[in-house]
Coordinates of all heavy atoms in Angstrom, one line a residue:
M4 N 109.3 46.6 60.8 CA 109.3 47.1 59.5 C 108.1 46.8 58.7 O 107.9 45.6 58.3 CB 110.6 46.9 58.8 CG 111.1 48.0 57.9 SD 112.8 47.9 57.5 CE 112.9 46.5 56.4
A5 N 107.2 47.6 58.5 CA 105.9 47.2 57.9 C 106.1 47.3 56.3 O 106.7 48.2 55.8 CB 104.8 48.2 58.3
K6 N 105.5 46.3 55.7 CA 105.6 46.2 54.2 C 104.5 47.2 53.7 O 103.4 47.3 54.2 CB 105.4 44.9 53.8 CG 106.5 43.9 54.1 CD 106.7 42.9 53.0 CE 108.1 42.2 53.2 NZ 108.4 41.3 52.1
A7 N 104.8 47.7 52.5 CA 103.9 48.7 51.9 C 103.6 48.3 50.4 O 102.9 49.0 49.7 CB 104.4 50.0 51.9
G8 N 104.1 47.2 50.0 CA 103.9 46.7 48.6 C 104.7 47.3 47.6 O 105.5 48.2 47.9
R9 N 104.5 46.9 46.4 CA 105.4 47.5 45.3 C 104.8 48.8 44.8 O 103.6 49.1 44.8 CB 105.5 46.6 44.1 CG 106.5 45.5 44.4 CD 106.7 44.6 43.2 NE 107.8 43.7 43.4 CZ 109.0 44.0 42.9 NH1 109.3 45.1 42.2 NH2 110.1 43.3 43.1
G10 N 105.7 49.7 44.3 CA 105.2 50.9 43.8 C 106.4 51.9 43.7 O 107.5 51.5 43.5
R11 N 106.2 53.2 43.7 CA 107.1 54.2 43.6 C 107.7 54.6 45.0 O 106.9 54.9 45.9 CB 106.6 55.4 42.9 CG 107.5 56.6 42.8 CD 107.0 57.8 42.1 NE 107.5 57.7 40.7 CZ 107.7 58.9 40.0 NH1 107.2 60.0 40.4 NH2 108.1 58.8 38.8
C12 N 109.0 54.6 45.1 CA 109.7 55.1 46.3 C 109.5 56.6 46.3 O 109.8 57.3 45.3 CB 111.1 54.7 46.4 SG 112.0 55.5 47.7
E13 N 109.1 57.2 47.5 CA 108.8 58.6 47.6 C 110.2 59.4 47.6 O 110.2 60.6 47.4 CB 107.9 58.9 48.7 CG 106.5 58.4 48.5 CD 105.6 58.7 49.7 OE1 105.8 59.9 50.3 OE2 104.8 57.9 50.1
L14 N 111.2 58.7 47.9 CA 112.5 59.4 48.2 C 113.4 59.4 46.8 O 113.7 60.4 46.3 CB 113.2 58.8 49.3 CG 114.4 59.6 49.8 CD1 114.0 60.9 50.2 CD2 115.1 58.9 51.0
C15 N 113.6 58.1 46.3 CA 114.5 58.1 45.1 C 113.6 58.1 43.8 O 114.2 58.2 42.8 CB 115.4 56.9 45.2 SG 114.5 55.3 45.0
L16 N 112.4 57.9 44.0 CA 111.3 58.1 42.9 C 111.5 57.0 41.9 O 111.1 57.0 40.7 CB 111.5 59.5 42.3 CG 111.3 60.6 43.2 CD1 111.4 61.9 42.4 CD2 110.0 60.6 43.9
R17 N 112.2 55.9 42.3 CA 112.2 54.7 41.3 C 110.8 54.0 41.4 O 110.2 54.0 42.5 CB 113.3 53.7 41.7 CG 114.7 54.3 41.5 CD 115.7 53.3 41.8 NE 115.5 52.7 43.2 CZ 115.9 51.6 43.6 NH1 116.6 50.8 42.7 NH2 115.7 51.1 44.8
D18 N 110.4 53.4 40.3 CA 109.1 52.8 40.2 C 109.3 51.3 40.4 O 110.3 50.8 40.2 CB 108.4 53.1 38.8 CG 107.6 54.4 38.9 OD1 106.9 54.6 39.8 OD2 107.9 55.2 38.0
H19 N 108.1 50.6 40.8 CA 108.0 49.2 40.9 C 109.1 48.6 41.8 O 109.7 47.6 41.5 CB 108.2 48.6 39.5 CG 107.3 49.2 38.4 ND1 105.9 49.2 38.5 CD2 107.6 49.8 37.3 CE1 105.5 49.8 37.4 NE2 106.5 50.3 36.7
V20 N 109.3 49.3 42.9 CA 110.2 48.8 43.9 C 109.4 48.3 45.1 O 108.3 48.8 45.4 CB 111.2 49.8 44.3 CG1 112.3 50.1 43.2 CG2 110.6 51.1 44.8
E21 N 109.9 47.3 45.8 CA 109.4 46.8 47.1 C 109.6 47.9 48.1 O 110.6 48.5 48.2 CB 110.2 45.6 47.5 CG 109.5 44.8 48.5 CD 108.3 44.0 47.9 OE1 108.5 43.3 47.0 OE2 107.2 44.1 48.5
R22 N 108.5 48.3 48.8 CA 108.5 49.4 49.8 C 108.2 49.0 51.2 O 107.6 48.0 51.5 CB 107.6 50.5 49.3 CG 108.0 51.1 48.0 CD 107.0 52.0 47.4 NE 105.6 51.4 47.4 CZ 104.4 52.0 47.2 NH1 104.5 53.2 47.0 NH2 103.3 51.3 47.2
T23 N 108.7 49.9 52.0 CA 108.3 49.7 53.4 C 107.9 51.1 54.0 O 108.1 52.1 53.4 CB 109.6 49.2 54.1 OG1 109.3 49.0 55.5 CG2 110.7 50.2 54.1
I24 N 107.2 51.1 55.1 CA 106.7 52.3 55.7 C 107.8 53.0 56.5 O 108.4 52.3 57.4 CB 105.5 52.0 56.7 CG1 104.4 51.4 55.9 CG2 105.0 53.3 57.4 CD1 103.5 52.2 55.0
H25 N 108.1 54.2 56.3 CA 109.0 55.0 57.1 C 108.2 56.1 57.9 O 107.4 56.8 57.2 CB 110.0 55.7 56.2 CG 110.9 56.6 57.0 ND1 111.7 56.2 58.0 CD2 111.1 57.9 56.9 CE1 112.3 57.3 58.5 NE2 112.0 58.4 57.8
H26 N 108.4 56.2 59.1 CA 107.8 57.3 59.9 C 108.7 58.5 59.8 O 109.8 58.6 60.3 CB 107.7 56.9 61.4 CG 106.6 55.9 61.6 ND1 105.5 56.2 62.2 CD2 106.5 54.6 61.3 CE1 104.6 55.1 62.2 NE2 105.3 54.1 61.7
L27 N 108.2 59.5 59.1 CA 108.9 60.8 58.9 C 109.3 61.4 60.3 O 110.4 61.9 60.6 CB 108.1 61.8 58.1 CG 108.0 61.4 56.6 CD1 107.0 62.1 55.9 CD2 109.4 61.4 55.9
T28 N 108.3 61.4 61.2 CA 108.6 61.8 62.6 C 108.5 60.4 63.4 O 107.5 59.8 63.3 CB 107.6 62.8 63.2 OG1 107.5 64.0 62.4 CG2 107.9 63.1 64.6
P29 N 109.7 60.0 63.9 CA 109.7 58.7 64.5 C 108.6 58.6 65.6 O 108.3 59.6 66.3 CB 111.1 58.6 65.2 CG 111.9 59.6 64.3 CD 110.9 60.7 63.9
R30 N 108.0 57.4 65.8 CA 106.9 57.3 66.8 C 107.3 57.8 68.2 O 106.4 58.4 68.9 CB 106.4 55.8 66.8 CG 105.4 55.6 65.7 CD 105.1 54.1 65.6 NE 106.3 53.4 65.0 CZ 106.3 52.1 64.6 NH1 105.2 51.4 64.7 NH2 107.4 51.6 64.1
E31 N 108.5 57.5 68.5 CA 108.9 57.9 69.9 C 109.0 59.4 70.1 O 109.0 59.9 71.2 CB 110.4 57.2 70.2 CG 111.4 57.7 69.3 CD 112.7 56.9 69.4 OE1 113.5 57.1 70.4 OE2 112.9 55.9 68.6
F32 N 108.9 60.1 69.0 CA 108.9 61.6 69.0 C 107.5 62.1 68.6 O 107.4 63.3 68.2 CB 110.0 62.2 68.1 CG 111.4 62.0 68.6 CD1 112.1 60.8 68.2 CD2 112.0 62.8 69.4 CE1 113.4 60.6 68.7 CE2 113.2 62.6 69.9 CZ 113.9 61.5 69.5
G33 N 106.5 61.3 68.7 CA 105.2 61.8 68.5 C 104.5 61.6 67.1 O 103.5 62.1 66.8
G34 N 105.3 60.9 66.2 CA 104.8 60.8 64.8 C 103.6 59.9 64.8 O 103.6 58.8 65.5
G35 N 102.6 60.2 64.0 CA 101.4 59.4 63.9 C 101.3 58.6 62.7 O 102.3 58.7 61.9
P36 N 100.3 57.7 62.5 CA 100.2 56.9 61.3 C 100.1 57.7 59.9 O 100.4 57.1 58.9 CB 99.0 56.0 61.6 CG 98.3 56.7 62.7 CD 99.2 57.6 63.4
E37 N 99.7 58.9 60.1 CA 99.5 59.7 58.8 C 100.8 60.3 58.4 O 101.0 60.9 57.3 CB 98.4 60.8 59.0 CG 98.7 61.9 59.9 CD 98.8 61.5 61.4 OE1 98.1 60.5 61.7 OE2 99.5 62.1 62.1
D38 N 101.8 60.3 59.4 CA 103.1 61.0 59.2 C 104.1 60.1 58.7 O 105.1 59.9 59.3 CB 103.5 61.7 60.5 CG 104.6 62.7 60.3 OD1 104.8 63.2 59.1 OD2 105.3 63.0 61.3
T39 N 103.7 59.3 57.6 CA 104.6 58.2 57.1 C 104.8 58.5 55.6 O 104.1 59.2 55.0 CB 104.0 56.9 57.3 OG1 102.8 56.8 56.7 CG2 103.9 56.5 58.8
S40 N 105.8 57.8 55.1 CA 106.0 57.7 53.6 C 106.4 56.3 53.2 O 106.8 55.5 54.1 CB 107.1 58.8 53.2 OG 108.3 58.4 53.8
K41 N 106.2 56.0 52.0 CA 106.6 54.6 51.5 C 107.9 54.7 50.7 O 108.0 55.4 49.7 CB 105.5 54.2 50.6 CG 104.1 54.0 51.2 CD 103.1 53.4 50.2 CE 101.8 53.1 50.9 NZ 100.9 54.3 50.8
L42 N 108.8 54.0 51.3 CA 110.2 54.1 50.7 C 110.7 52.7 50.4 O 110.3 51.7 50.9 CB 111.2 54.6 51.8 CG 110.9 56.0 52.4 CD1 111.9 56.3 53.4 CD2 110.7 57.0 51.3
C43 N 111.6 52.7 49.3 CA 112.1 51.4 49.0 C 113.1 50.9 50.1 O 113.6 51.8 50.9 CB 112.8 51.4 47.6 SG 114.4 52.4 47.6
I44 N 113.4 49.7 50.1 CA 114.2 49.1 51.2 C 115.6 49.8 51.3 O 116.0 50.2 52.4 CB 114.2 47.7 51.1 CG1 112.8 47.2 51.5 CG2 115.2 47.0 52.1 CD1 112.4 45.8 50.9
P45 N 116.3 49.9 50.2 CA 117.7 50.6 50.3 C 117.6 52.0 50.8 O 118.4 52.4 51.7 CB 118.2 50.6 48.8 CG 117.5 49.5 48.2 CD 116.1 49.4 48.8
C46 N 116.6 52.8 50.4 CA 116.4 54.2 51.0 C 116.2 54.1 52.4 O 116.7 54.9 53.2 CB 115.2 54.9 50.3 SG 115.6 55.5 48.6
H47 N 115.3 53.2 52.8 CA 115.0 53.2 54.2 C 116.2 52.8 55.1 O 116.5 53.4 56.1 CB 113.8 52.1 54.4 CG 113.1 52.3 55.7 ND1 112.8 51.2 56.6 CD2 112.8 53.4 56.4 CE1 112.3 51.7 57.6 NE2 112.3 53.0 57.6
K48 N 116.9 51.8 54.6 CA 118.1 51.4 55.4 C 119.1 52.6 55.4 O 119.8 52.8 56.4 CB 118.8 50.3 54.7 CG 118.1 48.9 55.0 CD 118.9 47.8 54.5 CE 118.2 46.4 54.9 NZ 118.8 45.4 53.9
Q49 N 119.2 53.3 54.3 CA 120.3 54.3 54.2 C 119.9 55.4 55.2 O 120.8 56.0 55.9 CB 120.3 54.9 52.8 CG 121.3 55.9 52.6 CD 122.7 55.4 52.7 OE1 123.0 54.2 52.5 NE2 123.7 56.3 53.0
I50 N 118.7 55.8 55.3 CA 118.2 56.9 56.2 C 118.6 56.5 57.6 O 119.2 57.3 58.3 CB 116.7 57.1 56.1 CG1 116.4 57.7 54.8 CG2 116.2 58.0 57.3 CD1 114.9 57.8 54.6
H51 N 118.2 55.2 58.1 CA 118.5 54.9 59.4 C 120.0 54.6 59.7 O 120.4 54.6 60.8 CB 117.6 53.8 59.8 CG 116.1 54.1 60.0 ND1 115.7 54.9 61.0 CD2 115.1 54.0 59.1 CE1 114.4 55.2 60.8 NE2 114.0 54.6 59.7
A52 N 120.7 54.4 58.6 CA 122.1 54.2 58.8 C 122.9 55.5 59.1 O 123.8 55.6 59.8 CB 122.7 53.5 57.6
L53 N 122.3 56.5 58.4 CA 123.0 57.9 58.4 C 122.6 58.7 59.7 O 123.3 59.4 60.2 CB 122.6 58.7 57.2 CG 123.3 58.3 55.9 CD1 122.7 59.1 54.7 CD2 124.8 58.7 56.0
Y54 N 121.3 58.6 60.1 CA 120.8 59.6 61.1 C 120.1 58.9 62.2 O 119.3 57.9 62.0 CB 119.8 60.5 60.4 CG 120.2 61.0 59.1 CD1 119.6 60.6 57.9 CD2 121.2 62.0 58.9 CE1 120.0 61.1 56.6 CE2 121.6 62.5 57.8 CZ 121.0 62.0 56.6 OH 121.4 62.5 55.4
P55 N 120.4 59.3 63.4 CA 119.6 58.8 64.5 C 118.2 59.4 64.6 O 117.9 60.4 63.9 CB 120.4 59.4 65.8 CG 121.1 60.6 65.2 CD 121.4 60.3 63.8
N56 N 117.2 58.7 65.2 CA 115.9 59.2 65.2 C 115.7 60.6 65.7 O 114.8 61.3 65.2 CB 115.0 58.2 66.1 CG 114.6 57.0 65.4 OD1 114.8 56.9 64.2 ND2 114.0 56.0 66.1
S57 N 116.6 61.0 66.6 CA 116.5 62.3 67.2 C 116.7 63.4 66.1 O 116.0 64.4 66.0 CB 117.4 62.6 68.3 OG 118.7 62.2 67.9
E58 N 117.7 63.1 65.2 CA 118.0 64.0 64.1 C 116.8 64.0 63.1 O 116.5 65.0 62.5 CB 119.3 63.7 63.4 CG 119.8 64.7 62.5 CD 121.2 64.6 62.1 OE1 121.8 63.6 62.5 OE2 121.6 65.4 61.3
L59 N 116.3 62.8 62.8 CA 115.2 62.7 61.9 C 114.0 63.5 62.3 O 113.4 64.2 61.6 CB 114.7 61.2 61.7 CG 115.8 60.3 61.0 CD1 115.3 58.9 61.0 CD2 116.1 60.7 59.6
A60 N 113.7 63.4 63.7 CA 112.6 64.1 64.2 C 112.7 65.6 64.1 O 111.7 66.3 63.8 CB 112.4 63.7 65.7
I61 N 113.9 66.1 64.3 CA 114.0 67.6 64.4 C 114.3 68.2 63.0 O 113.8 69.2 62.7 CB 115.2 67.9 65.4 CG1 114.7 67.5 66.8 CG2 115.5 69.4 65.4 CD1 115.9 67.3 67.7
R62 N 115.3 67.5 62.2 CA 115.8 68.2 61.1 C 115.3 67.5 59.7 O 115.2 68.3 58.7 CB 117.3 68.0 61.1 CG 118.1 68.9 60.2 CD 119.5 69.0 60.5 NE 120.2 67.7 60.2 CZ 120.6 67.4 59.0 NH1 120.5 68.3 58.0 NH2 121.3 66.3 58.7
L63 N 114.9 66.3 59.8 CA 114.7 65.6 58.5 C 113.3 64.9 58.5 O 113.2 63.8 58.1 CB 115.8 64.6 58.3 CG 117.2 65.2 58.1 CD1 118.2 64.1 58.2 CD2 117.3 65.9 56.8
N64 N 112.3 65.6 59.0 CA 111.0 65.0 59.1 C 110.1 65.3 58.0 O 108.8 65.2 58.1 CB 110.3 65.6 60.4 CG 110.3 67.1 60.4 OD1 110.7 67.8 59.5 ND2 109.8 67.6 61.5
A65 N 110.6 65.4 56.8 CA 109.9 65.6 55.5 C 110.7 65.0 54.4 O 111.9 65.1 54.4 CB 109.5 67.0 55.2
I66 N 110.0 64.5 53.3 CA 110.7 63.9 52.2 C 111.6 65.0 51.6 O 112.7 64.7 51.2 CB 109.7 63.4 51.2 CG1 109.1 62.1 51.7 CG2 110.3 63.2 49.8 CD1 110.0 60.9 51.7
E67 N 111.1 66.2 51.4 CA 111.9 67.3 50.7 C 113.2 67.6 51.5 O 114.2 67.8 50.9 CB 111.1 68.5 50.6 CG 109.8 68.4 49.9 CD 108.7 67.9 50.9 OE1 108.3 68.5 51.9 OE2 108.2 66.7 50.6
K68 N 113.1 67.5 52.8 CA 114.3 67.8 53.7 C 115.3 66.7 53.5 O 116.5 66.9 53.5 CB 113.9 67.9 55.1 CG 113.0 69.2 55.3 CD 112.7 69.3 56.8 CE 111.6 70.4 57.0 NZ 111.1 70.4 58.4
L69 N 114.8 65.4 53.5 CA 115.7 64.3 53.2 C 116.4 64.4 51.9 O 117.6 64.2 51.7 CB 115.0 62.9 53.3 CG 114.6 62.5 54.7 CD1 113.5 61.5 54.8 CD2 115.8 62.0 55.5
Q70 N 115.7 64.8 50.9 CA 116.1 64.9 49.5 C 117.2 66.0 49.4 O 118.0 66.0 48.5 CB 115.0 65.1 48.5 CG 114.2 63.8 48.2 CD 112.9 64.1 47.5 OE1 112.4 65.2 47.5 NE2 112.5 63.1 46.7
D71 N 117.1 67.0 50.3 CA 118.0 68.1 50.3 C 119.3 68.0 51.1 O 120.2 68.7 51.0 CB 117.2 69.4 50.8 CG 116.9 70.3 49.7 OD1 117.1 69.9 48.5 OD2 116.5 71.4 50.0
D72 N 119.3 66.9 51.9 CA 120.4 66.7 52.7 C 121.7 66.3 51.9 O 121.5 65.4 51.1 CB 120.1 65.6 53.8 CG 121.2 65.6 54.8 OD1 121.2 66.4 55.8 OD2 122.1 64.7 54.7
P73 N 122.9 66.8 52.1 CA 124.0 66.5 51.3 C 124.4 65.0 51.3 O 124.7 64.5 50.3 CB 125.1 67.3 51.9 CG 124.5 68.4 52.7 CD 123.1 67.9 53.1
E74 N 124.3 64.3 52.4 CA 124.6 62.9 52.5 C 123.6 62.1 51.7 O 124.0 61.1 51.0 CB 124.6 62.4 53.9 CG 125.8 63.0 54.8 CD 127.1 62.4 54.1 OE1 127.2 61.2 53.8 OE2 128.1 63.3 54.0
M75 N 122.3 62.5 51.8 CA 121.3 61.7 51.1 C 121.4 62.0 49.6 O 121.1 61.1 48.8 CB 119.9 62.1 51.6 CG 119.4 61.4 52.8 SD 119.7 59.7 52.9 CE 118.4 59.1 51.8
K76 N 121.8 63.2 49.2 CA 121.9 63.5 47.8 C 122.9 62.6 47.1 O 122.7 62.1 46.0 CB 122.4 65.0 47.6 CG 121.2 65.9 47.6 CD 121.6 67.2 47.2 CE 120.4 68.3 47.1 NZ 120.9 69.6 47.1
K77 N 124.0 62.4 47.8 CA 125.1 61.5 47.3 C 124.5 60.1 47.0 O 124.7 59.5 46.1 CB 126.3 61.4 48.3 CG 127.3 62.4 48.1 CD 128.5 62.2 48.9 CE 128.5 63.1 50.1 NZ 129.6 62.7 51.2
Y78 N 123.8 59.6 48.0 CA 123.2 58.3 48.0 C 122.2 58.2 46.8 O 122.1 57.3 46.1 CB 122.6 57.9 49.4 CG 121.5 56.9 49.2 CD1 121.9 55.6 49.1 CD2 120.1 57.2 49.1 CE1 120.9 54.6 49.0 CE2 119.2 56.2 49.0 CZ 119.5 55.0 48.9 OH 118.6 54.0 48.8
L79 N 121.3 59.2 46.8 CA 120.2 59.3 45.8 C 120.8 59.3 44.4 O 120.3 58.6 43.5 CB 119.3 60.5 46.0 CG 118.4 60.4 47.2 CD1 117.7 61.7 47.6 CD2 117.4 59.3 47.0
N80 N 121.9 60.0 44.1 CA 122.5 60.0 42.8 C 122.9 58.6 42.4 O 122.9 58.2 41.2 CB 123.7 61.0 42.8 CG 123.3 62.4 42.7 OD1 122.2 62.6 42.1 ND2 124.1 63.3 43.1
W81 N 123.4 57.8 43.4 CA 123.8 56.5 43.2 C 122.6 55.6 43.0 O 122.6 54.8 42.0 CB 124.7 56.0 44.3 CG 125.0 54.6 44.2 CD1 126.0 54.0 43.5 CD2 124.5 53.5 45.0 NE1 126.1 52.7 43.6 CE2 125.1 52.3 44.5 CE3 123.5 53.4 46.0 CZ2 124.8 51.1 45.1 CZ3 123.2 52.2 46.5 CH2 123.8 51.0 46.1
I82 N 121.7 55.6 43.8 CA 120.6 54.6 43.8 C 119.7 54.8 42.6 O 119.2 53.8 42.1 CB 119.7 54.7 45.2 CG1 118.8 53.4 45.2 CG2 118.8 55.9 45.2 CD1 119.5 52.2 45.6
K83 N 119.7 56.0 42.0 CA 118.9 56.2 40.9 C 119.4 55.4 39.7 O 118.6 55.2 38.7 CB 118.8 57.7 40.6 CG 117.7 58.4 41.4 CD 117.8 59.9 41.2 CE 116.8 60.6 42.2 NZ 116.9 62.0 42.1
K84 N 120.7 55.0 39.7 CA 121.3 54.3 38.6 C 121.1 52.8 38.8 O 121.4 52.0 37.9 CB 122.8 54.6 38.5 CG 123.0 56.1 38.1 CD 124.4 56.4 38.2 CE 124.7 57.9 38.4 NZ 126.0 58.1 39.2
Q85 N 120.6 52.5 40.0 CA 120.5 51.0 40.2 C 119.1 50.5 39.6 O 118.1 51.2 39.8 CB 120.5 50.7 41.7 CG 121.7 51.3 42.4 CD 123.1 50.9 41.7 OE1 123.2 49.7 41.5 NE2 123.8 51.9 41.4
P86 N 119.1 49.3 39.1 CA 117.8 48.7 38.6 C 116.9 48.5 39.7 O 117.2 48.1 40.8 CB 118.2 47.4 37.9 CG 119.6 47.1 38.3 CD 120.2 48.4 38.8
A87 N 115.6 48.7 39.4 CA 114.6 48.6 40.5 C 114.4 47.2 41.0 O 114.1 46.9 42.1 CB 113.2 49.1 40.0
G88 N 114.6 46.2 40.1 CA 114.3 44.8 40.5 C 115.1 44.2 41.6 O 114.6 43.4 42.4
K89 N 116.4 44.6 41.6 CA 117.2 43.8 42.6 C 117.7 44.8 43.6 O 117.9 46.0 43.5 CB 118.4 43.2 41.8 CG 119.3 44.2 41.2 CD 120.5 43.4 40.6 CE 121.6 44.3 40.1 NZ 122.7 43.6 39.5
L90 N 118.0 44.2 44.8 CA 118.5 45.0 45.9 C 120.0 45.1 45.6 O 120.7 44.2 45.2 CB 118.3 44.2 47.2 CG 116.9 44.1 47.6 CD1 116.8 43.2 49.0 CD2 116.3 45.4 47.9
P91 N 120.6 46.3 46.0 CA 122.0 46.5 45.9 C 122.8 45.5 46.7 O 122.3 45.2 47.8 CB 122.3 47.9 46.3 CG 120.9 48.5 46.3 CD 119.9 47.5 46.5
R92 N 123.9 45.0 46.2 CA 124.6 44.0 46.9 C 125.2 44.5 48.1 O 125.9 45.6 48.1 CB 125.7 43.5 45.9 CG 126.3 42.1 46.3 CD 127.2 41.7 45.2 NE 126.5 41.2 44.0 CZ 126.0 40.0 43.8 NH1 126.2 39.2 44.8 NH2 125.4 39.6 42.8
I93 N 125.1 43.9 49.2 CA 125.8 44.2 50.5 C 127.0 43.4 50.6 O 127.0 42.2 50.5 CB 124.9 43.9 51.7 CG1 123.5 44.5 51.5 CG2 125.5 44.4 53.0 CD1 123.4 46.0 51.4
K94 N 128.1 44.1 50.7 CA 129.4 43.4 50.8 C 129.6 42.7 52.1 O 129.4 43.3 53.2 CB 130.6 44.4 50.6 CG 130.9 44.6 49.1 CD 132.1 45.5 49.0 CE 132.2 45.9 47.5 NZ 132.9 47.2 47.4
K95 N 130.0 41.4 52.0 CA 130.3 40.7 53.3 C 131.8 40.9 53.4 O 132.6 40.5 52.6 CB 129.9 39.3 53.2 CG 128.4 39.0 53.2 CD 128.1 37.6 53.2 CE 126.6 37.3 53.0 NZ 126.4 36.0 52.5
S96 N 132.2 41.4 54.6 CA 133.6 41.5 54.8 C 134.3 40.2 55.1 O 133.7 39.3 55.8 CB 133.9 42.6 55.9 OG 133.3 42.1 57.1
G97 N 135.5 40.1 54.7 CA 136.3 38.9 55.1 C 136.0 37.7 54.4 O 136.5 36.6 54.8
Y98 N 135.2 37.7 53.3 CA 134.8 36.5 52.6 C 135.1 36.7 51.1 O 134.6 37.6 50.5 CB 133.4 36.1 52.9 CG 132.9 34.9 52.1 CD1 133.2 33.7 52.5 CD2 132.2 35.1 51.0 CE1 132.9 32.5 51.9 CE2 131.7 33.9 50.2 CZ 132.1 32.7 50.7 OH 131.7 31.5 50.0
R99 N 135.9 35.8 50.6 CA 136.1 35.8 49.1 C 135.9 34.4 48.6 O 136.5 33.5 49.0 CB 137.5 36.3 48.8 CG 137.8 37.7 49.2 CD 137.3 38.7 48.1 NE 137.7 40.0 48.4 CZ 137.1 40.9 49.3 NH1 136.2 40.4 50.0 NH2 137.6 42.1 49.5
R100 N 135.1 34.4 47.5 CA 135.0 33.1 46.8 C 136.0 33.2 45.6 O 135.9 34.0 44.8 CB 133.6 32.9 46.3 CG 133.4 31.6 45.6 CD 131.9 31.5 45.0 NE 131.1 31.2 46.1 CZ 130.5 30.0 46.3 NH1 130.8 29.1 45.6 NH2 129.7 29.8 47.3
L101 N 137.0 32.2 45.6 CA 138.0 32.2 44.6 C 137.6 31.3 43.4 O 136.9 30.3 43.6 CB 139.3 31.7 45.2 CG 139.9 32.6 46.3 CD1 141.1 32.0 46.9 CD2 140.2 34.0 45.7
Ligands
LIG211 ZN1 114.0 54.7 47.2
LIG212 ZN1 112.1 54.5 59.0

C-alpha cells in the first residue's frame, strides 16, 4: 500500500486526511500508474472489503462509479460525518475493558 501524503480523499472528499494510492483498475487487470486515485485509508479499506479486484476492474474502475454504488453510498454518508484527524475505531471482538 503506497503512501500518498495528506490531502483530500477523492472518494469521500474529506480534506487533510492521510491518503494511500488506489489502483482504479487493479494492476493484475492491466491498470497502469496513471490509473490511480488518492484515497483516505478508511475509504481504501472499505473498497477492498466490499469488492473483489475482478469486480473493481469491470464495474467500479472510476471514482464516479464507486460513489454511485449503493454499498459505497451508505459508507460515504457515514464517513463524511467522521472527523478527518482520527481513524474510525475498529472493534475488536471478544475483548471488553471493564
Ligand atoms: Zn475517503
Ligand atoms: Zn486499492
Side-chain angles (χ1 to χ4, degrees):
M4 211 158 72
K6 289 215 170 181
R9 279 183 170 265
R11 173 178 260 206
C12 171
E13 292 180 38
L14 192 57
C15 67
L16 307 179
R17 293 183 308 151
D18 275 311
H19 312 299
V20 288
E21 197 74 52
R22 294 171 307 170
T23 184
I24 301 282
H25 171 63
H26 285 256
L27 290 165
T28 300
R30 273 170 291 191
E31 62 192 278
F32 290 89
E37 69 293 330
D38 197 16
T39 55
S40 60
K41 297 186 177 88
L42 305 183
C43 71
I44 290 157
C46 280
H47 196 222
K48 281 191 180 157
Q49 184 67 22
I50 289 173
H51 289 289
L53 283 173
Y54 315 108
N56 279 351
S57 53
E58 191 168 0
L59 293 174
I61 295 159
R62 195 168 74 79
L63 298 166
N64 55 2
I66 286 289
E67 307 79 65
K68 293 179 188 172
L69 286 163
Q70 285 169 333
D71 252 9
D72 189 80
E74 287 301 314
M75 280 311 287
K76 273 187 179 168
K77 273 189 252 171
Y78 158 81
L79 287 169
N80 282 334
W81 172 79
I82 195 72
K83 281 175 184 172
K84 295 175 204 148
Q85 308 305 309
K89 66 176 189 183
L90 294 176
R92 199 175 284 275
I93 308 295
K94 275 187 191 151
K95 288 182 189 164
S96 58
Y98 178 76
R99 294 277 187 283
R100 181 181 284 256
L101 296 172

